[in-house]
């Protein structure tokens, strides 16, 4: 994804008004947890109001830089790139986007650090992102990577194994942590993918995932239906594609936009605890698109 150079918003160069400063304090480093739609919907109006401060929060990052979760590195403003029309997908620093740092911030909240993570076997179904390169720098061992290479336009030299998240070839209970960055919307059978992740996680293992979420509703939104090999995909409306580093021309097809239903699906499959974190933190460079922060699913085996 192309990311523009830092853009200076109007508030840059003059102090924030006292009332605005007070409101921005809520987004300094805010962490909330939800176990379902009912609890989230009760807070949604207030969260949407806080979400109106996204540009001001981005200005704080542009002025002050950010503190990188897990590594503790201070990223200076000159080393940031911000695309203000999509803050969830920008705030690029050290190869990581806002939503990537949401995941590492959740790991911190769970009590993990780089030392504990180096003792884990971690799986990511991606190979060509800045987040992967960041992990390789900090966690060089016990990191398993793959890509879904079917119809790929570019096959990375270090792609490792081709894996279908709905039919993983890994042994049962072989990973301590699975991280899925904006992957679930692209799998053709979301419940099956969750079953496979549950299968390859060890007892006490954890899945952390981000995805563009229909956070205002319980039900998943089905965008396309897989009807079998050699069968045409059945589209529900206009086909939707998202940017993909190994499919730069056409992108990756969206099958589903998960709603809060994904938590029920995970519980049914057998995950013992399912939580949705909302991380909003200009201190750590985590700002959302509509919400003030980024939602991260946390499913414990």
């Amino acid at each position: 994804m192309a990311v523009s150079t830092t853009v200076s918003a109007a508030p840059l160069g003059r102090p924030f008004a006292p009332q605005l400063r007070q409101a921005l304090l809520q987004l300094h480093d805010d962490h909330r947890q939800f176990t379902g739609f009912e609890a989230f919907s009760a807070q949604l109006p207030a969260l949407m109001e806080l979400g109106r401060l996204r540009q001001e929060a981005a200005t704080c990052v542009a002025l002050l830089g950010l503190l990188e979760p897990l590594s503790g590195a201070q990223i200076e403003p000159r080393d940031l790139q911000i695309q203000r029309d999509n803050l969830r997908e920008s705030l690029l620093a050290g190869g990581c986007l806002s939503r990537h740092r949401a995941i590492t911030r959740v790991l911190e909240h769970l009590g993990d650090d780089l030392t504990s993570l180096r003792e884990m076997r971690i799986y990511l179904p991606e190979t060509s992102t800045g987040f992967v390169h960041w992990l390789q720098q900090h966690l060089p061992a016990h990191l398993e990577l793959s890509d879904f290479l079917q119809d790929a336009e570019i096959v990375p030299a270090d792609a490792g194994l081709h894996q279908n998240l709905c039919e993983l070839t890994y042994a049962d209970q072989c990973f301590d942590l699975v991280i899925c960055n904006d992957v679930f919307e692209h799998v053709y059978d979301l419940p099956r993918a969750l079953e496979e992740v549950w299968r390859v996680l060890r007892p006490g293992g954890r899945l952390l995932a981000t995805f563009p979420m229909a956070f205002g509703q319980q039900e998943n939104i089905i965008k396309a239906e897989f009807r079998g090999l050699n069968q045409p995909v059945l589209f529900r409306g206009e086909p939707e594609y998202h940017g993909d580093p190994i499919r730069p021309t056409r992108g990756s097809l969206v099958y589903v936009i998960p709603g809060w239903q994904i938590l029920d699906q995970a519980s049914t499959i057998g995950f013992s605890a399912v939580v949705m974190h909302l991380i909003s933190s200009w201190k750590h460079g985590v700002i959302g698109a509509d919400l003030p922060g980024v939602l991260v699913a946390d499913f414990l085996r």
Side-chain angles (χ1 to χ4, degrees):
M1 179 192 71
V3 181
S4 66
T5 55
T6 302
V7 178
S8 296
L12 278 174
R14 67 176 185 266
F16 292 121
Q19 185 177 4
L20 181 56
R21 286 202 303 269
Q22 184 64 33
L24 280 172
L25 285 176
Q26 297 182 69
L27 301 183
H28 174 256
D29 191 19
D30 189 68
H31 174 219
R32 308 183 191 209
Q33 297 183 65
F34 304 95
T35 57
F37 178 56
E38 184 176 353
F40 175 79
S41 61
Q43 295 190 32
L44 184 54
L47 288 172
M48 295 302 289
E49 282 300 311
L50 278 176
R52 295 177 182 272
L53 300 178
R54 296 188 311 277
Q55 292 299 329
E56 288 80 2
T59 294
C60 292
V61 180
L63 285 168
L64 303 174
L66 61 87
L67 186 66
E68 192 174 68
L70 290 180
S71 75
Q74 177 68 41
I75 307 296
E76 300 297 330
R78 64 177 178 273
D79 298 320
L80 288 168
Q81 292 179 311
I82 302 177
Q83 182 176 296
R84 287 184 177 263
D85 62 347
N86 192 343
L87 292 165
R88 181 183 183 273
E89 296 296 314
S90 69
L91 291 177
L92 180 65
C96 295
L97 305 173
S98 181
R99 57 182 168 84
H100 296 143
R101 286 185 297 276
I103 283 183
T104 52
R105 186 67 179 131
V106 166
L107 285 168
E108 286 188 328
H109 282 298
L110 294 171
D112 286 308
D113 56 23
L114 291 177
T115 299
S116 65
L117 291 170
R118 290 185 185 114
E119 298 176 354
M120 298 182 187
R121 191 175 181 211
I122 303 172
Y123 170 56
L124 288 87
E126 57 182 294
T127 64
S128 305
T129 65
F131 183 62
V132 162
H133 298 319
W134 187 91
L135 286 175
Q136 289 172 324
Q137 291 174 6
H138 294 281
L139 307 170
H142 309 298
L143 193 63
E144 185 77 25
L145 308 172
S146 74
D147 250 319
F148 183 65
L149 299 176
Q150 181 176 312
D151 300 324
E153 300 169 8
I154 299 173
V155 178
D158 58 349
L161 293 174
H162 160 77
Q163 288 285 340
N164 179 349
L165 202 59
C166 297
E167 298 179 17
L168 293 172
T169 63
Y170 299 112
D172 293 355
Q173 301 183 13
C174 62
F175 295 110
D176 301 291
L177 176 63
V178 174
I179 298 175
C180 292
N181 288 302
D182 280 28
V183 172
F184 284 150
E185 67 269 30
H186 301 294
V187 298
Y188 57 80
D189 188 338
L190 179 57
R192 179 60 181 165
L194 291 170
E195 288 175 358
E196 281 293 274
V197 173
W198 183 91
R199 179 182 66 79
V200 301
L201 279 171
R202 293 169 178 150
R206 174 171 262 113
L207 163 66
L208 294 180
T210 62
F211 38 82
M213 185 178 182
F215 57 79
Q217 64 182 64
Q218 172 69 16
E219 298 78 13
N220 298 340
I221 299 174
I222 306 301
K223 306 285 289 185
E225 292 184 40
F226 178 75
R227 299 193 293 175
L229 294 175
N230 304 317
Q231 296 293 321
V233 172
L234 177 63
F235 294 108
R236 300 276 191 91
E238 189 70 22
E240 183 175 337
Y241 296 84
H242 292 172
D244 186 337
I246 65 172
R247 298 172 181 84
T249 300
R250 64 177 177 272
S252 186
L253 178 64
V254 175
Y255 282 93
V256 59
I257 302 296
W260 289 87
Q261 180 184 357
I262 190 173
L263 274 68
D264 296 336
Q265 291 173 318
S267 294
T268 299
I269 286 164
F271 285 96
S272 61
V274 294
V275 173
M276 193 69 72
H277 301 263
L278 177 61
I279 304 293
S280 310
S281 176
W282 51 260
K283 173 183 177 181
H284 295 289
V286 182
I287 305 175
D290 299 301
L291 293 171
V294 176
L295 291 163
V296 180
D298 174 11
F299 300 160
L300 182 67
R301 168 76 151 85

